[in-house]
Amino acid sequence: MRFEYSPAPESRAIVTLRDSYGLFIGGSFVPGSSVFKTISPASEEVLAEVTHAGPEDVDRAVAAARQAYERTWSAMPGRERGKYLFRIARLIQERSRELAVLETIDNGKPIRESRDVDVPLAAAHFFYHAGWADKLGYAGFGPSPRPLGVVGQVIPWNFPLLMLAWKVAPALACGNTVVLKPAETTPLTALLFAEICQQADLPPGVVNIVTGDGATGQALVAHPGIDKIAFTGSTEVGKEIARACAVSGKRLTLELGGKAANVVFDDAPVDQAVEGIVNGIFFNQGHVCCAGSRLLVQESVYDDVLAALRRRMGTLRLGDPLDKNTDVGAINSRAQLDKISELVSSGEAEGASRWSAPCPLPDRGFWFAPTVFTEVSQAHRIAREEIFGPVLSVLTFRTPAEAVEKANNTPYGLSAGVWTEKGSLILWMASRLRAGVVWANTFNRFDPSSPFGGYKESGFGREGGRHGLEAYLDVTGSADV
Ligand code: TAP
């Protein structure tokens, strides 16, 4: 049965966009060397002009962060730092609708997701790390672990505010100051976060935000005044950053790409598994590093699972991201749409069979219908490369051992999913899957207390939980680590 939905748009009125935004350095918005425009990927409308930070602007931001580190933040008792983090967390909650609408406008993701996932999780990360700020001596890193200093943080466009929270909250809780570079296509919630820092009376220079493109990121990574780089983004850029940081003495954590296997056994409840498959690959248009982009189905239930999956995909509603009924929003940029289209064409050319949900695409903006490929071989590019879009590749297996072999046959190792009724099989699989996170009978669950990170080309270091603190502390010499 098909349900008809009337439009249910969330109002944009809560967001006041400025015509142009400066850089956030030393607690104030300041001009920089040049400007660029940020657009809405759903309509291609220009939203605002944003400042491009050149090397001299990055230099100013690092100097402000150093001064704040030395004069205020590193010397402040943890319980005082914690108060600021609690205040920021509460302000994120208070301004949650504004943040959600702005995130949806700038990123293209459905309002249902920014409202129910991105913003609440961002607040949760600040609450969680606020609690740690005065308890670092009990975290198992020795009695008085020291901060590292000034941290340079570079984040991608898929979860702009949430990735900021993953980076900024632990860094500040541990006594570091930060210079953060948001992605070029999604700078607006980071700039609203800068206003929240002002509202929270955060000492000037503790958080600095430099907008710009890859060159701004490069300048930040190369800056000699930085003690640690925390990067989330593609494996390709991660490798470049690892080379740039080599023998510089800078600490480095890398959260990179993925090509997760979502493994469905023949005893899994089909409808529940299909919901998990859909959430695993179509949540956030598949712009998710841990997306379940390779579906491994046990051969005996292949026909049932595929039929139920196509049926469910046919009910997904694609369109206006601000509509509260929308399931699939816009692709974040034309460049990303081109990348998805190129990989999908390669799948067809290499002989896989494509099926896309029959949903009309809007005339303006960047869109891609939810798509599934069957008859996929492990050698196909769509089975090996991260597509970072709403495209699922389906493979089959007969035995658990074959499922493990195929799941691990990837240069990545960020996440995996297992669907079965048998607890013993879940544990057997989890101990063999080379992935930082293994979800059982669920997918894409996040919690600030749970460490997240990868193996192999998915990077190193963990974010969240006690493990995530270690990345922002000097734990050398600690016997407890
Ligand atoms: P990237 O192209 O790698 O960009 C990430 C960030 O790095 C952006 O801010 C980018 O600026 C900047 N950047 C680009 N070139 C740089 C350079 N040479 N030096 C320093 N910074 C540079 O990735 P993306 O396309 O935005 O994001 C998608 C990727 O992120 C996917 O591979 C995804 O799997 C990964 N990701 C991983 C995770 C975790 S937790 N593992 C989470 C989310 C996303 P511009 O925006 O100007 O290009």
Side-chain angles (χ1 to χ4, degrees), residues 80-94 126-127 130 196-203:
E80 296 303 319
R81 289 201 307 272
K83 286 182 196 168
Y84 284 105
L85 291 174
F86 275 123
R87 209 179 287 168
I88 290 172
R90 283 195 298 269
L91 285 166
I92 291 175
Q93 285 186 321
E94 275 170 29
F126 278 95
F127 276 121
I196 287 177
C197 292
Q198 287 178 323
Q199 208 181 340
D201 269 335
L202 190 72

Side-chain angles (χ1 to χ4, degrees), residues 21-93:
Y21 290 83
L23 306 168
F24 186 64
I25 297 179
S28 312
F29 286 94
V30 297
S33 33
S34 57
V35 291
F36 63 99
K37 291 180 171 54
T38 184
I39 63 165
S40 156
S43 63
E44 298 175 61
E45 144 205 13
V46 173
L47 296 172
E49 222 169 57
V50 178
T51 302
H52 179 276
E56 63 289 355
D57 302 315
V58 170
D59 196 41
R60 276 194 293 159
V62 173
R66 175 64 58 194
Q67 196 177 68
Y69 177 73
E70 284 170 2
R71 295 203 187 153
T72 345
W73 201 245
S74 64
M76 190 182 281
R79 65 178 180 284
E80 296 303 319
R81 289 201 307 272
K83 286 182 196 168
Y84 284 105
L85 291 174
F86 275 123
R87 209 179 287 168
I88 290 172
R90 283 195 298 269
L91 285 166
I92 291 175
Q93 285 186 321

